[in-house]
Amino acid sequence: MTQLVERLPLLKRAAQTVLTPSPEPPSPASVVEALLECEKAAKKSKQRYEFKELIGTWRLCFITGTKKTRQRAGIVMGSGRYLPRWVKIQLSYSPATASEVPAETEAIAGQMHNFVQFGSLQFALTGPAKFLPVKNILAFDFTRMSVKCFGIKLYDGFIRGGEQSEAQFYGKPVKNQAFFAYFLVTPEAIAARGRGGGLALWGKVND
């Protein structure tokens, strides 16, 4: 836990970089090193989080490529970068309102909203989510999409058989779903490893 405590200030500062401009943000190499050490410490201590700690809006600020993309690009394992401020990508988590988790599962039902903005173009993907506290894993599936340009709605509805996927989501095993394995959850920042192997760091967006 000592490593985790020592790395928290750096990660919290890095997580706020796209929200509050900093003249000297932590170097990408130091952020990756801190993320890896926190992930290792969380596994060793068997830290468990609760879904309610994720509820809110988080802006993506730092990512590393997946194992596959790093191998293709010839980049060393663990390299990463900050997202530019003009790219706005936010995740929002909220309790489920309609769907129910089967009684035999230990998952906590929720909803996930992914907002992406490039200039005047906005994409919003939403769908069901389920959190497994034992492994700090949050599985999700984007089943609906809305698209706006200059405030004008271009599309709003299900995508890729979304209605059926939404109905079957909670009954499917996590191994067959997209997911994040969280190893850091604080009021200011969260961090996780995706199914593809990449790391990501988000900063809390204050309402």
Side-chain angles (χ1 to χ4, degrees):
M1 291 297 293
T2 301
Q3 288 181 321
L4 180 59
V5 173
E6 291 177 347
R7 293 298 187 175
L8 276 178
L10 184 148
L11 291 177
K12 289 179 179 179
R13 187 155 54 95
Q16 294 298 313
T17 296
V18 296
L19 298 171
T20 305
S22 173
E24 295 184 8
S27 69
S30 67
V31 176
V32 172
E33 182 180 2
L35 288 171
L36 292 174
E37 288 188 6
C38 283
E39 182 182 35
K40 182 179 180 180
K43 288 181 178 178
K44 185 177 181 179
S45 65
K46 297 182 179 180
Q47 175 71 49
R48 290 189 182 183
Y49 297 108
E50 298 182 34
F51 179 67
K52 64 182 181 180
E53 296 178 83
L54 295 174
I55 291 177
T57 301
W58 308 85
R59 182 163 175 176
L60 183 63
C61 67
F62 188 90
I63 58 172
T64 70
T66 63
K67 295 178 180 178
K68 184 179 295 185
T69 57
R70 287 197 294 266
Q71 290 172 353
R72 288 178 179 176
I75 304 173
V76 296
M77 180 72 172
S79 61
R81 62 185 178 85
Y82 288 101
L83 267 68
R85 287 181 55 80
W86 53 268
V87 177
K88 188 176 183 180
I89 302 177
Q90 295 184 167
L91 285 180
S92 295
Y93 298 108
S94 60
T97 56
S99 301
E100 294 183 357
V101 176
E104 64 272 13
T105 71
E106 296 181 359
I108 299 172
Q111 292 287 320
M112 186 172 180
H113 179 91
N114 186 28
F115 176 83
V116 181
Q117 180 174 355
F118 298 94
S120 59
L121 188 61
Q122 299 177 353
F123 294 89
L125 298 169
T126 60
K130 59 186 178 186
F131 186 71
L132 285 70
V134 175
K135 295 183 179 180
N136 295 325
I137 286 179
L138 185 135
F140 60 91
D141 186 10
F142 292 127
T143 55
R144 305 168 188 254
M145 178 177 71
S146 66
V147 183
K148 291 183 180 181
C149 188
F150 293 104
I152 300 174
K153 186 176 293 185
L154 303 179
Y155 180 80
D156 187 9
F158 287 107
I159 55 173
R160 299 179 288 105
E163 187 171 10
Q164 181 179 6
S165 296
E166 198 170 281
Q168 300 174 346
F169 175 76
Y170 292 112
K172 291 183 178 179
V174 173
K175 65 179 181 180
N176 296 331
Q177 299 174 318
F179 64 80
F180 289 126
Y182 285 94
F183 54 86
L184 177 67
V185 178
T186 74
E188 300 87 5
I190 57 176
R193 184 179 291 278
R195 180 177 178 179
L199 298 172
L201 176 68
W202 295 263
K204 185 65 178 291
V205 177
N206 296 319
D207 298 327

